[in-house]
Amino acid sequence: MIRTVQLAPVFLCLLLGASPAPAQTPPTPAQATPTPFAIPADMQVLFWPAERRERDLRRMPELIPHARIAPSPTPRPLPAGAPLALDPSAFMEAERVAGLLVIHRGQVRLERYGLGLTPTDIWDSFSMTKSLTATLVGAAVAEGAIRSTDDLVTDYLPDLAGGAYDGVRIDHVLTMTSGARWDEDYTRATSDVARFYLTPPPADADATVAYLKALPRAHPPGEHWNYNTGETNLIGVLVARATGRPLAGYLKEKIWDPAGMESPAFWMLDAQGRESGGCCVSATLRDWGRVGLMALERGVVPGGQIATPDWFGTATAQRIDFPENDRGYGSQWWTRGEGAQFEAAGIFGQLIHVDPTRDLVVVFLAAWPTATGRQRSDARLAMIEQIRTALE
C-alpha cells in the first residue's frame, strides 16, 4: 500500500463551464466521427456565482454539448421502505443540498429535494464520473477488450509513447500513481487542470493524449499518489480505443441498461466531441442511487454481471492510505474507515457513500458555495452519522 503524507490542494475534478451561448445539438453515442466544437473559455463553473450553480447544474446539457445515454428498457424498481425518523431540512438548506437519497437494504428510506430540483431533473456529478469510467475499464477487462490492468498504457495508446507514461501500467493510472507531474490546483490559471481544456491539440491528435504526453515525470511509477483529472480522461480514451466504442454508448451497454437506470443521462464532451472520462455525467438522484447499488452489490445487478465481483472488490479497497485522516483511495473510488466504506465524490458537494456492512447507499447532490471545504465535508459526514443512528 502506498502511503502519502498530504492530499492534493484541491483534489476533485474541475468542469470547464460554458458561457450562456445558444445550446448546440449533442452528438449521439453512436456517432462514428466526433464533431469538434469551440468550448467557451470565458467562464468556469468554479468561478460562477453560487446562484448560477444552484440554477444551472441541472442544465449543463443545454449549455455545452453532451452525449445522451438513453434509459434502460427495464428500469430497476426502488421500493419504498419505512420512512426514517429524520428531518434533514435544516441541513439541506444550510449546505445547499439539491438531493438526498438513502437506500437501505434495497429500499428507499429517505428521498428529499431542494434548490428547485425534482425527481425527473438531472444534476452534474463532476468527479463522481471517475468511478463510472473505472467501472468501464472493469467491463472491458471482463469481455477481453483489455487484457489486464497490468498492461502498459502505451500498449493501447502507442501515440502516448515517448513521455512520462513510458513504463506506466493501466493500474498505475487507475490509482493515480503514474508518477507524471500534474498540477490539480484550481485556484491558478497556470495549473495543468486549468490549461488542459484550453490547450489546442495538434492536428490529427487526441487532445488528452497530446497534453499528457508532454508532461514530465516527477516520480517512478507506482511510488507517489497525485490526484490527476487528466489521467481519468486518459482512461476514457483508452477504453474507447480498446473497445472501439464511444464512452457514452459503452456506458449504456455495460452499466445504464443492466443496472436498470430509469432516466436518460448526459456525458459532457470535450472540444473534439469525445466524452471526458474524468468528469461530468449528469443524471437523476435515483439513478445515482442505482450506481451506488451497483457498487454495493459488486456489479451483480438485475440485468446481469457488470465487470466482476473481484474487480469491484479491488477498485473499492483502500489501496492508497492517507495517514493524516480517515480517507484513502482505491481505483477511482475514495475509501473511508480503512476501506470499510467507499465513495464516489465530486466538487461542490456531490457524493455517493456506500457502506457494505450496513447495506446502505447515501447520495448527496449539492451546490456548495465553494468547490471543496472541510467544514461542509464534516457537516455531510455528520449527516451520514445521523442517518446511521436513525437506521439503528
Side-chain angles (χ1 to χ4, degrees), residues 21-88:
Q24 303 181 47
T25 301
T28 63
Q31 182 175 323
T33 303
T35 302
F37 57 87
I39 295 181
D42 59 324
M43 297 187 72
Q44 293 181 348
V45 171
L46 189 65
F47 302 113
W48 278 0
E51 296 80 6
R52 183 176 180 188
R53 276 193 296 272
E54 293 183 6
R55 181 187 74 230
D56 283 351
L57 289 185
R58 80 199 70 187
R59 299 179 57 242
M60 297 309 294
E62 302 172 31
L63 303 176
I64 193 169
H66 283 60
R68 183 181 187 274
I69 300 103
S72 171
T74 53
R76 176 177 185 169
L78 292 179
L84 284 185
L86 175 67
D87 183 1

Side-chain angles (χ1 to χ4, degrees), residues 178-265:
S178 71
R181 191 176 72 193
W182 173 273
D183 183 359
E184 188 87 5
D185 187 346
Y186 306 135
T187 64
R188 294 187 300 103
T190 57
S191 69
D192 288 300
V193 75
R195 292 189 295 118
F196 176 72
Y197 291 101
L198 302 178
T199 302
D204 302 321
D206 180 87
T208 297
V209 172
Y211 191 95
L212 269 64
K213 181 177 180 177
L215 295 177
R217 173 165 288 172
H219 303 277
E223 293 188 5
H224 181 81
W225 182 86
N226 181 50
Y227 195 83
N228 184 335
T229 290
E231 287 194 339
T232 317
N233 285 8
L234 190 69
I235 292 171
V237 176
L238 190 151
V239 169
R241 293 264 190 101
T243 62
R245 300 287 306 282
L247 288 183
Y250 202 56
L251 176 68
K252 175 171 174 56
E253 175 189 343
K254 296 299 183 179
I255 297 179
W256 228 246
D257 281 356
M261 306 304 183
E262 67 178 340
S263 301

Side-chain angles (χ1 to χ4, degrees), residues 278-299:
C279 188
C280 307
V281 168
S282 292
T284 64
L285 178 65
R286 281 187 158 228
D287 280 345
W288 287 121
R290 291 178 175 93
V291 171
L293 288 174
M294 171 197 71
L296 174 70
E297 297 161 350
R298 297 199 171 197

